[in-house]
Amino acid sequence: MRLPRRPTVYEINTAVWLQRVGRGLGRSIALDEVPAAEWDALAALPVDAVWLMGVWARSPDGLRIALADPGLEAANHAALPDLTPADVIGSPYCVREYVVDERFGGPAALAAAREQLASRGLGLILDYVPNHVAPDHPWTTSRPECLITGTEEDLDRHPDAFLRTPGGVVAKGRDPYFAPWPDVVQLNAFAPALREAVAETLLAIAGQCDGLRCDMAMLMTNEVFARTWGERAGPAPQAEYWPPLTAGTKAVHPDFVFVAEAYWDMEWALQQQGFDLCYDKRLYDRLAHESAESVRGHLQADPGYQEGLIRFIENHDEPRAAATFGPAQARAVAVAVSTLQGARLYHDGQLDGRRTRIPVFLGRGPDEPPDGDLRAFYARLLCAVDESDLHDGDWRLCDCEGWPDNDSSRRLVSWCWSTPDSRHLVVVNLSDAPAQARVRLPWDDVAGRSWHLTDRLDGERFERAGDELAAEGLYVALDAWASYFLAFAGDD
């Protein structure tokens, strides 16, 4: 299935979701046993693709390591006070094999789920973990040349960084800024054997879905990998890791979408290496910790670059949005990320205001009452996005002008969308104080007629004269964390 330009993606923790749906049915279920009403509910949000996070076979060895880690146990208990041993199922990023876990029904069940999604016009996105595999992954014995290896001396001197596997001593997976992950072993991005093996793996996965979210994708770039592993990795190849892999996959599956989990301002580099979309973590950080002026500066980046970003205020790695932002602020930043260029990502539970981030090792989440008002807000927002031609329209950043004695306009950000048949303006107050401004519209033909403005979020209506809009801009006054999502309709 070909995903639309600027898709809306909905992330589901597969294990937790199936447990929740199954509990409502009174039994455990696999992916091919999900009731039609559940798939209907996803399509009705509305979204364009579902990311089933964590479908691959989890590692028994990785689970044993995780169960022995006091820090992980404490995090699991904090999220799930009534934790039982059965709730800890291992990390979805400690992959034993790229075959659908039998607890979810295996490959046939995933194929059935994909059919259910496709019949409703939804694509399927899965995970790929390029940097590491589980200690009991078949490659540790069949393809040890694909891994960063070590010696018995390495293991004796640095047991926190090396691990004994059936194929010998290997390095634990890591990134350059943190201690090694205890439950995974490191692949060697510079090894020709790995690149050949991954090309085969990606083709096999691409036959089962419409896109991949690639975990920590920047770790495999030549510069980062060399900085992380130095001489242990061997000499860096001339070619980067990702371009032949993304191109080779798309040669067979032309509509396939690659999504990079990306940090450290490496989004542009990864876009050049074949990724269609990259996490916009920088925008998330600006929305969470910085000012509207910082956000506005971020949005002045090259439009082509922005088209290749996926915006979010929550995913399985970040704290819940409801726990990070105040109630009004959460709505403001949701409007912002939902109406920008590029793609948008929502996380299961975000729309209901859930506050507990569920560790990926768990197969069950806590019971949390939904926030009905927030759910109703998101229903209006997602429908407005879907109905406003944001997939195909022309996006423009708008200037917000103040006055010599009132600089509150700096608290606002604004942009507009236009197609031959529609026009929309978004204005968001990203501050805890009221703000006023004149928003300059970039449309040349607003003068000479009256305009009817309707807020897509609350239905409020306004009438404005086109001559005033053209000469002075649209006057707006917004309370703290308030926003407008205005549809423009002009008299002929």
Side-chain angles (χ1 to χ4, degrees), residues 267-338:
E267 298 86 356
W268 174 251
L270 289 168
Q271 288 176 8
Q272 304 314 297
Q273 294 183 26
F275 281 91
D276 302 282
L277 297 168
C278 296
Y279 273 31
D280 193 356
K281 178 63 160 59
R282 183 66 68 186
L283 177 64
Y284 170 85
D285 289 339
R286 292 178 191 272
L287 290 169
H289 307 296
E290 300 179 25
S291 67
E293 292 168 297
S294 173
V295 172
R296 189 181 309 110
H298 185 80
L299 299 179
Q300 291 171 352
D302 179 80
Y305 164 72
Q306 295 202 62
E307 289 289 357
L309 299 174
I310 184 165
R311 327 278 192 163
F312 58 87
I313 55 170
E314 180 179 313
N315 58 55
H316 71 267
D317 287 314
E318 303 293 346
R320 290 287 196 178
T324 301
F325 305 98
Q329 183 185 14
R331 287 164 169 77
V333 296
V335 170
V337 299
S338 299

Side-chain angles (χ1 to χ4, degrees), residues 172-463:
K172 294 180 181 180
R174 57 166 300 195
D175 77 19
Y177 298 111
F178 294 95
W181 293 292
D183 58 341
V184 294
V185 295
Q186 181 67 49
L187 296 170
N188 187 350
F190 292 170
L194 177 69
R195 297 185 177 203
E196 294 172 7
V198 169
E200 298 172 5
T201 301
L202 290 178
L203 284 176
I205 295 174
Q208 303 174 68
C209 58
D210 304 295
L212 277 182
R213 177 267 191 188
C214 297
D215 184 72
M216 300 287 281
M218 70 285 175
L219 293 182
M220 306 303 273
T221 61
N222 284 356
E223 184 273 327
V224 173
F225 202 81
R227 176 156 45 92
T228 307
W229 291 103
E231 293 181 358
R232 286 190 182 277
Q238 279 194 322
E240 285 282 355
Y241 179 85
W242 285 113
L245 295 173
T246 54
T249 304
K250 291 187 177 192
V252 180
H253 302 279
D255 296 329
F256 200 75
V257 173
F258 279 94
V259 181
E261 181 190 19
Y263 304 112
W264 316 330
D265 295 322
M266 294 197 65
E267 298 86 356
W268 174 251
L270 289 168
Q271 288 176 8
Q272 304 314 297
Q273 294 183 26
F275 281 91
D276 302 282
L277 297 168
C278 296
Y279 273 31
D280 193 356
K281 178 63 160 59
R282 183 66 68 186
L283 177 64
Y284 170 85
D285 289 339
R286 292 178 191 272
L287 290 169
H289 307 296
E290 300 179 25
S291 67
E293 292 168 297
S294 173
V295 172
R296 189 181 309 110
H298 185 80
L299 299 179
Q300 291 171 352
D302 179 80
Y305 164 72
Q306 295 202 62
E307 289 289 357
L309 299 174
I310 184 165
R311 327 278 192 163
F312 58 87
I313 55 170
E314 180 179 313
N315 58 55
H316 71 267
D317 287 314
E318 303 293 346
R320 290 287 196 178
T324 301
F325 305 98
Q329 183 185 14
R331 287 164 169 77
V333 296
V335 170
V337 299
S338 299
T339 57
L340 290 170
Q341 283 179 284
R344 52 202 68 86
L345 171 68
Y346 304 96
H347 183 212
D348 190 39
Q350 174 183 340
L351 279 56
D352 293 313
R354 292 182 183 157
R355 302 179 64 84
T356 301
R357 188 180 74 83
I358 303 171
V360 294
F361 295 88
L362 297 182
R364 177 170 68 94
D367 291 328
E368 295 184 74
D371 182 333
D373 289 342
L374 184 64
R375 183 76 189 198
F377 162 80
Y378 269 113
R380 296 191 299 272
L381 176 60
L382 268 68
C383 284
V385 169
D386 185 62
E387 296 169 358
S388 301
D389 296 324
L390 267 61
H391 285 309
D392 300 310
D394 175 56
W395 181 92
R396 298 276 298 276
L397 189 64
C398 297
D399 290 331
C400 297
E401 298 178 353
W403 300 269
D405 60 345
N406 181 355
D407 68 349
S408 64
S409 60
R410 60 188 175 83
R411 302 173 189 148
L412 302 178
V413 291
S414 180
W415 45 85
C416 64
W417 291 91
S418 57
T419 71
D421 302 315
S422 67
R423 306 182 197 211
H424 290 83
L425 177 73
V426 176
V427 190
V428 185
N429 184 350
L430 292 177
S431 79
D432 58 1
Q436 303 83 38
R438 287 276 184 181
V439 179
R440 290 291 181 181
L441 305 177
W443 303 317
D444 296 331
D445 59 348
V446 294
R449 50 179 168 163
S450 298
W451 290 90
H452 312 281
L453 284 56
T454 304
D455 193 333
R456 300 298 303 267
L457 298 178
D458 63 11
E460 190 173 2
R461 295 175 180 271
F462 310 90
E463 306 293 327

